Amino acid sequence: MKNKKLNPMVLATLSAAFLLASCAGPENYQQKMARYTPKVIGNNQVPEIRIADFKFASETSKVKGRAPASVVPVAEKNEVEKDGNPTNKKLYFLSLYSQYETLKNYSAEFSGPNINICPNFHTSLLRHSEKEANSPNAFHAKKFSYETNKFSEASYVAGHPELLLPLSKEEVTPKVVDIIKSANGQMTDFAINELVHKALDIHLSKTYSEIRELCEYGVSDNYYVYENLITHIKNNKFEADAGNMNILLKTTLFSNIALMTSLETHTAATIPGRSIASISGEVKKVPYVSEVMARLNVTWANQYFDYIKESH
Protein backbone atom coordinates (compact mmCIF):
# COMPACT_ATOMS: atom_id res chain seq x y z
CA MET A 1 0.00 0.00 0.00
CA LYS A 2 1.32 3.40 -0.91
CA ASN A 3 1.78 5.93 1.84
CA LYS A 4 -0.96 8.49 2.18
CA LYS A 5 0.00 11.87 0.76
CA LEU A 6 0.34 14.45 3.52
CA ASN A 7 -2.66 16.75 3.65
CA PRO A 8 -1.37 20.31 3.08
CA MET A 9 -4.19 21.79 5.16
CA VAL A 10 -3.12 19.68 8.14
CA LEU A 11 0.48 20.76 7.77
CA ALA A 12 -0.69 24.36 7.50
CA THR A 13 -2.03 24.17 11.04
CA LEU A 14 1.42 23.55 12.41
CA SER A 15 3.33 26.62 13.36
CA ALA A 16 7.04 26.91 12.68
CA ALA A 17 7.57 26.39 16.38
CA PHE A 18 5.80 23.03 16.20
CA LEU A 19 8.02 21.89 13.36
CA LEU A 20 11.21 22.90 15.13
CA ALA A 21 10.10 21.12 18.28
CA SER A 22 9.14 17.92 16.49
CA CYS A 23 12.44 17.75 14.63
CA ALA A 24 14.28 17.73 17.93
CA GLY A 25 12.99 14.24 18.81
CA PRO A 26 14.16 10.85 17.51
CA GLU A 27 11.25 10.77 15.06
CA ASN A 28 9.63 13.85 13.57
CA TYR A 29 6.10 14.54 12.40
CA GLN A 30 6.74 13.65 8.75
CA GLN A 31 8.33 10.33 9.68
CA LYS A 32 5.38 9.38 11.83
CA MET A 33 2.92 10.32 9.13
CA ALA A 34 4.89 8.22 6.64
CA ARG A 35 4.02 5.15 8.72
CA TYR A 36 0.39 6.22 9.05
CA THR A 37 -1.55 5.00 6.01
CA PRO A 38 -5.28 4.73 6.78
CA LYS A 39 -8.07 4.41 4.29
CA VAL A 40 -9.89 7.65 3.60
CA ILE A 41 -12.51 8.02 6.33
CA GLY A 42 -12.85 11.77 6.58
CA ASN A 43 -10.84 14.91 7.17
CA ASN A 44 -11.56 16.75 10.40
CA GLN A 45 -9.95 20.11 9.72
CA VAL A 46 -9.75 22.27 12.81
CA PRO A 47 -11.85 25.46 12.51
CA GLU A 48 -9.88 28.71 12.34
CA ILE A 49 -10.76 30.05 15.78
CA ARG A 50 -8.55 32.92 16.92
CA ILE A 51 -8.67 35.34 19.81
CA ALA A 52 -9.05 39.04 18.97
CA ASP A 53 -8.03 41.84 21.32
CA PHE A 54 -8.21 39.77 24.50
CA LYS A 55 -5.39 40.41 26.96
CA PHE A 56 -4.19 37.85 29.48
CA ALA A 57 -3.45 38.69 33.10
CA SER A 58 -0.07 40.18 33.97
CA GLU A 59 2.96 37.95 34.45
CA THR A 60 2.73 38.47 38.21
CA SER A 61 -0.89 37.35 38.28
CA LYS A 62 -0.12 34.31 36.19
CA VAL A 63 2.70 33.21 38.46
CA LYS A 64 0.62 33.69 41.59
CA GLY A 65 -2.36 31.87 40.15
CA ARG A 66 -0.59 29.02 38.40
CA ALA A 67 -0.40 26.45 41.21
CA PRO A 68 -4.07 26.53 42.33
CA ALA A 69 -5.30 26.64 38.73
CA SER A 70 -3.42 23.47 37.86
CA VAL A 71 -5.37 21.37 40.33
CA VAL A 72 -7.58 18.78 38.63
CA PRO A 73 -11.05 18.41 40.22
CA VAL A 74 -11.20 15.37 42.54
CA ALA A 75 -14.09 13.77 40.65
CA GLU A 76 -12.27 14.00 37.34
CA LYS A 77 -8.98 12.82 38.83
CA ASN A 78 -10.79 9.73 40.12
CA GLU A 79 -12.15 9.02 36.65
CA VAL A 80 -8.71 9.40 35.11
CA GLU A 81 -7.21 7.06 37.70
CA LYS A 82 -9.95 4.50 37.07
CA ASP A 83 -8.82 4.42 33.47
CA GLY A 84 -5.31 3.53 34.60
CA ASN A 85 -3.76 7.01 34.28
CA PRO A 86 -4.28 7.04 30.49
CA THR A 87 -1.53 7.79 28.02
CA ASN A 88 -1.68 11.04 26.09
CA LYS A 89 -3.13 9.16 23.12
CA LYS A 90 -5.89 7.57 25.18
CA LEU A 91 -6.60 10.87 26.95
CA TYR A 92 -6.90 12.58 23.56
CA PHE A 93 -9.40 9.98 22.38
CA LEU A 94 -11.49 10.13 25.55
CA SER A 95 -11.50 13.94 25.50
CA LEU A 96 -12.53 14.14 21.85
CA TYR A 97 -15.21 11.49 22.28
CA SER A 98 -16.61 13.27 25.35
CA GLN A 99 -16.67 16.57 23.46
CA TYR A 100 -18.47 14.89 20.55
CA GLU A 101 -21.13 13.50 22.89
CA THR A 102 -21.58 16.91 24.53
CA LEU A 103 -21.73 18.91 21.28
CA LYS A 104 -24.40 16.57 19.89
CA ASN A 105 -26.76 17.93 22.53
CA TYR A 106 -26.71 21.38 20.96
CA SER A 107 -27.67 20.19 17.48
CA ALA A 108 -31.25 20.51 16.31
CA GLU A 109 -31.03 17.76 13.67
CA PHE A 110 -27.75 15.83 13.93
CA SER A 111 -28.58 12.78 16.04
CA GLY A 112 -24.99 11.56 15.77
CA PRO A 113 -24.05 7.92 15.23
CA ASN A 114 -23.04 6.06 18.35
CA ILE A 115 -19.59 4.52 18.61
CA ASN A 116 -20.08 0.91 19.64
CA ILE A 117 -17.02 -0.74 18.11
CA CYS A 118 -13.62 0.78 18.83
CA PRO A 119 -10.78 -1.77 18.69
CA ASN A 120 -8.00 0.60 19.74
CA PHE A 121 -9.83 2.10 22.74
CA HIS A 122 -12.41 -0.57 23.56
CA THR A 123 -11.93 -0.70 27.34
CA SER A 124 -11.71 3.08 27.76
CA LEU A 125 -14.85 3.61 25.69
CA LEU A 126 -16.72 0.96 27.63
CA ARG A 127 -15.85 2.53 30.99
CA HIS A 128 -16.74 5.99 29.74
CA SER A 129 -20.10 4.82 28.34
CA GLU A 130 -21.00 3.10 31.61
CA LYS A 131 -20.28 6.30 33.54
CA GLU A 132 -22.29 8.48 31.14
CA ALA A 133 -25.27 6.12 31.24
CA ASN A 134 -25.82 7.14 34.87
CA SER A 135 -25.50 10.87 34.21
CA PRO A 136 -28.68 12.99 34.11
CA ASN A 137 -29.64 14.60 30.82
CA ALA A 138 -29.25 18.39 30.76
CA PHE A 139 -31.16 20.99 28.79
CA HIS A 140 -29.20 22.53 25.93
CA ALA A 141 -30.10 25.51 23.79
CA LYS A 142 -31.24 24.92 20.22
CA LYS A 143 -31.75 28.58 19.35
CA PHE A 144 -28.82 30.97 19.15
CA SER A 145 -29.31 34.72 18.85
CA TYR A 146 -26.79 37.49 18.23
CA GLU A 147 -26.36 41.24 18.12
CA THR A 148 -26.47 41.52 14.34
CA ASN A 149 -24.84 44.96 14.30
CA LYS A 150 -21.61 43.52 15.73
CA PHE A 151 -20.73 40.87 13.16
CA SER A 152 -18.03 43.14 11.75
CA GLU A 153 -16.30 43.43 15.15
CA ALA A 154 -13.46 40.93 15.50
CA SER A 155 -13.76 40.84 19.31
CA TYR A 156 -17.47 40.01 19.13
CA VAL A 157 -16.93 37.19 16.66
CA ALA A 158 -14.01 35.83 18.71
CA GLY A 159 -16.33 35.68 21.71
CA HIS A 160 -18.79 33.56 19.69
CA PRO A 161 -16.55 30.88 18.12
CA GLU A 162 -19.48 29.02 16.53
CA LEU A 163 -19.58 31.93 14.06
CA LEU A 164 -16.13 30.79 12.90
CA LEU A 165 -17.24 27.25 12.05
CA PRO A 166 -16.88 26.43 8.34
CA LEU A 167 -19.81 25.55 6.11
CA SER A 168 -17.71 23.08 4.14
CA LYS A 169 -16.64 19.54 4.96
CA GLU A 170 -13.40 19.89 3.04
CA GLU A 171 -12.27 23.47 3.74
CA VAL A 172 -12.11 25.91 6.65
CA THR A 173 -14.02 28.51 4.62
CA PRO A 174 -16.54 29.91 4.08
CA LYS A 175 -17.28 30.48 7.75
CA VAL A 176 -20.70 31.25 9.21
CA VAL A 177 -19.75 34.88 9.78
CA ASP A 178 -18.56 35.19 6.15
CA ILE A 179 -21.99 34.21 4.82
CA ILE A 180 -23.77 36.48 7.30
CA LYS A 181 -21.64 39.49 6.37
CA SER A 182 -22.07 38.82 2.64
CA ALA A 183 -25.84 39.18 3.09
CA ASN A 184 -25.32 42.85 4.01
CA GLY A 185 -27.77 42.81 6.90
CA GLN A 186 -30.53 41.10 4.93
CA MET A 187 -30.36 37.78 6.80
CA THR A 188 -33.09 37.14 9.39
CA ASP A 189 -32.43 35.87 12.91
CA PHE A 190 -34.06 32.59 11.91
CA ALA A 191 -31.76 32.21 8.89
CA ILE A 192 -28.70 32.98 11.03
CA ASN A 193 -29.74 30.38 13.56
CA GLU A 194 -30.22 27.80 10.79
CA LEU A 195 -26.78 28.65 9.42
CA VAL A 196 -25.12 28.09 12.79
CA HIS A 197 -26.86 24.73 13.14
CA LYS A 198 -25.77 23.68 9.67
CA ALA A 199 -22.16 24.50 10.51
CA LEU A 200 -22.42 22.68 13.84
CA ASP A 201 -23.78 19.58 12.09
CA ILE A 202 -20.86 19.65 9.63
CA HIS A 203 -18.43 20.00 12.55
CA LEU A 204 -20.03 17.04 14.33
CA SER A 205 -19.86 14.94 11.19
CA LYS A 206 -16.15 15.64 10.80
CA THR A 207 -15.53 14.94 14.49
CA TYR A 208 -17.31 11.61 14.15
CA SER A 209 -15.04 10.76 11.20
CA GLU A 210 -11.95 11.44 13.28
CA ILE A 211 -13.25 9.30 16.15
CA ARG A 212 -13.81 6.43 13.72
CA GLU A 213 -10.29 6.94 12.44
CA LEU A 214 -8.90 6.82 15.97
CA CYS A 215 -10.88 3.69 16.74
CA GLU A 216 -9.65 1.89 13.63
CA TYR A 217 -6.04 3.06 13.48
CA GLY A 218 -5.31 4.41 16.96
CA VAL A 219 -4.12 7.75 15.54
CA SER A 220 -5.30 10.62 13.36
CA ASP A 221 -3.85 13.68 11.65
CA ASN A 222 -5.13 15.91 14.42
CA TYR A 223 -3.69 13.65 17.09
CA TYR A 224 -0.20 14.13 15.65
CA VAL A 225 -0.73 17.90 15.74
CA TYR A 226 -1.66 17.52 19.41
CA GLU A 227 1.39 15.33 20.05
CA ASN A 228 3.64 17.98 18.54
CA LEU A 229 2.01 20.54 20.82
CA ILE A 230 2.94 18.41 23.83
CA THR A 231 6.55 18.19 22.61
CA HIS A 232 6.73 21.91 21.93
CA ILE A 233 5.41 22.85 25.38
CA LYS A 234 7.87 20.49 27.08
CA ASN A 235 10.82 21.99 25.23
CA ASN A 236 9.88 25.67 25.27
CA LYS A 237 8.58 28.41 27.50
CA PHE A 238 4.85 28.39 26.83
CA GLU A 239 3.31 31.24 28.79
CA ALA A 240 -0.04 32.96 28.66
CA ASP A 241 -0.22 35.22 25.63
CA ALA A 242 -2.30 35.63 22.49
CA GLY A 243 0.16 33.80 20.26
CA ASN A 244 0.26 30.71 22.44
CA MET A 245 -3.52 30.73 22.89
CA ASN A 246 -3.92 30.74 19.12
CA ILE A 247 -1.57 27.75 18.93
CA LEU A 248 -3.78 25.88 21.41
CA LEU A 249 -6.85 26.74 19.35
CA LYS A 250 -5.25 25.06 16.32
CA THR A 251 -5.82 21.74 18.08
CA THR A 252 -9.15 19.95 18.06
CA LEU A 253 -9.53 19.68 21.83
CA PHE A 254 -9.04 23.37 22.58
CA SER A 255 -11.14 24.68 19.69
CA ASN A 256 -13.93 22.41 20.95
CA ILE A 257 -13.59 23.81 24.48
CA ALA A 258 -14.06 27.32 23.08
CA LEU A 259 -17.06 26.16 21.07
CA MET A 260 -18.69 24.35 24.00
CA THR A 261 -18.14 27.34 26.30
CA SER A 262 -20.02 29.60 23.91
CA LEU A 263 -22.87 27.15 23.30
CA GLU A 264 -23.28 26.49 27.01
CA THR A 265 -23.51 30.22 27.62
CA HIS A 266 -26.33 30.41 25.08
CA THR A 267 -28.06 27.69 27.10
CA ALA A 268 -27.78 29.73 30.30
CA ALA A 269 -29.34 32.70 28.54
CA THR A 270 -32.41 30.65 27.55
CA ILE A 271 -33.22 29.40 31.06
CA PRO A 272 -35.21 31.88 33.21
CA GLY A 273 -33.42 32.80 36.39
CA ARG A 274 -30.13 31.23 35.38
CA SER A 275 -27.21 33.63 35.16
CA ILE A 276 -24.16 33.26 32.97
CA ALA A 277 -22.08 33.20 36.15
CA SER A 278 -23.85 30.00 37.18
CA ILE A 279 -22.26 28.05 34.33
CA SER A 280 -18.74 28.91 35.43
CA GLY A 281 -16.69 25.77 35.21
CA GLU A 282 -19.43 23.60 33.66
CA VAL A 283 -17.56 23.05 30.42
CA LYS A 284 -14.48 22.19 32.47
CA LYS A 285 -16.55 19.41 34.06
CA VAL A 286 -16.73 17.64 30.71
CA PRO A 287 -14.62 14.54 31.39
CA TYR A 288 -10.85 14.87 30.92
CA VAL A 289 -10.77 18.58 29.97
CA SER A 290 -9.09 19.67 33.20
CA GLU A 291 -6.68 16.75 33.02
CA VAL A 292 -5.58 17.81 29.53
CA MET A 293 -4.97 21.37 30.71
CA ALA A 294 -3.09 20.24 33.81
CA ARG A 295 -0.80 17.93 31.86
CA LEU A 296 0.06 20.71 29.43
CA ASN A 297 0.31 23.29 32.23
CA VAL A 298 -1.94 25.66 30.28
CA THR A 299 -4.71 26.27 32.77
CA TRP A 300 -4.16 29.96 32.02
CA ALA A 301 -6.21 29.27 28.88
CA ASN A 302 -9.28 29.35 31.12
CA GLN A 303 -8.93 33.15 31.11
CA TYR A 304 -9.91 33.13 27.45
CA PHE A 305 -12.78 30.70 27.98
CA ASP A 306 -14.07 32.94 30.78
CA TYR A 307 -13.84 35.84 28.34
CA ILE A 308 -16.12 33.93 25.95
CA LYS A 309 -18.72 33.57 28.71
CA GLU A 310 -18.51 37.27 29.50
CA SER A 311 -18.90 38.17 25.81
CA HIS A 312 -22.49 36.90 25.69
Side-chain angles (χ1 to χ4, degrees):
M1 180 182 295
K2 294 182 179 181
N3 286 341
K4 177 182 174 183
K5 184 178 179 181
L6 293 181
N7 188 320
M9 293 301 295
V10 174
L11 294 178
T13 62
L14 292 171
S15 67
F18 276 29
L19 293 175
L20 289 173
S22 63
C23 289
E27 184 178 42
N28 64 29
Y29 177 83
Q30 288 85 352
Q31 290 170 325
K32 289 176 182 176
M33 290 300 295
R35 296 187 291 99
Y36 167 53
T37 56
K39 301 173 185 177
V40 176
I41 294 180
N43 184 17
N44 182 19
Q45 294 190 42
V46 181
E48 293 182 335
I49 296 175
R50 296 179 60 84
I51 68 175
D53 56 355
F54 174 74
K55 302 296 182 184
F56 285 89
S58 65
E59 289 297 321
T60 301
S61 298
K62 286 186 294 185
V63 171
K64 289 182 178 179
R66 181 173 296 171
S70 298
V71 176
V72 179
V74 174
E76 181 172 324
K77 183 175 291 187
N78 290 339
E79 291 301 327
V80 171
E81 290 175 351
K82 285 180 183 178
D83 201 55
N85 192 24
T87 61
N88 288 326
K89 185 182 294 184
K90 188 179 295 184
L91 184 61
Y92 177 87
F93 169 78
L94 289 169
S95 300
L96 185 63
Y97 180 77
S98 298
Q99 291 175 341
Y100 169 72
E101 290 293 308
T102 299
L103 286 169
K104 284 198 302 183
N105 294 320
Y106 297 99
S107 173
E109 296 183 6
F110 185 86
S111 56
N114 293 321
I115 308 292
N116 298 316
I117 301 176
C118 189
N120 280 284
F121 301 98
H122 174 74
T123 302
S124 296
L125 180 61
L126 184 63
R127 289 174 177 169
H128 174 79
S129 298
E130 290 174 347
K131 177 174 66 69
E132 290 301 303
N134 299 320
S135 301
N137 292 324
F139 170 82
H140 295 86
K142 296 297 190 295
K143 182 178 180 180
F144 311 122
S145 57
Y146 304 92
E147 298 179 59
T148 55
N149 62 324
K150 292 187 176 182
F151 286 129
S152 60
E153 299 178 13
S155 59
Y156 182 80
V157 174
H160 298 76
E162 68 276 11
L163 296 176
L164 295 170
L165 289 175
L167 287 158
S168 168
K169 291 184 178 181
E170 291 78 28
E171 306 292 339
V172 294
T173 57
K175 303 171 186 176
V176 171
V177 69
D178 296 334
I179 302 300
I180 294 174
K181 289 165 69 174
S182 68
N184 296 317
Q186 300 303 307
M187 189 173 288
T188 64
D189 290 343
F190 175 81
I192 292 173
N193 189 65
E194 290 293 299
L195 203 61
V196 171
H197 275 291
K198 181 180 178 180
L200 179 58
D201 289 351
I202 290 174
H203 181 70
L204 284 165
S205 178
K206 293 192 298 183
T207 304
Y208 171 73
S209 294
E210 183 181 354
I211 291 172
R212 283 186 55 206
E213 193 172 356
L214 287 163
C215 284
E216 186 168 350
Y217 299 100
V219 290
S220 66
D221 292 345
N222 287 343
Y223 170 71
Y224 281 128
V225 173
Y226 176 73
E227 188 179 73
N228 275 304
L229 171 66
I230 295 173
T231 302
H232 175 66
I233 290 176
K234 285 182 178 179
N235 297 333
N236 296 273
K237 199 172 184 180
F238 200 78
E239 296 186 334
D241 60 46
N244 286 337
M245 188 68 232
N246 283 328
I247 287 177
L248 293 179
L249 291 172
K250 288 181 180 180
T251 65
T252 316
L253 300 187
F254 284 89
S255 64
N256 279 341
I257 295 172
L259 183 58
M260 289 190 299
T261 301
S262 181
L263 297 180
E264 178 60 26
T265 307
H266 277 291
T267 295
T270 63
I271 302 177
R274 189 180 185 200
S275 66
I276 291 178
S278 70
I279 73 165
S280 180
E282 285 201 11
V283 170
K284 299 165 198 173
K285 293 178 184 177
V286 174
Y288 313 107
V289 166
S290 294
E291 174 67 16
V292 168
M293 289 190 182
R295 286 192 184 187
L296 296 177
N297 195 26
V298 295
T299 51
W300 49 259
N302 284 322
Q303 294 180 49
Y304 170 65
F305 301 132
D306 289 338
Y307 163 76
I308 291 178
K309 289 197 289 284
E310 295 165 1
S311 298
H312 286 64

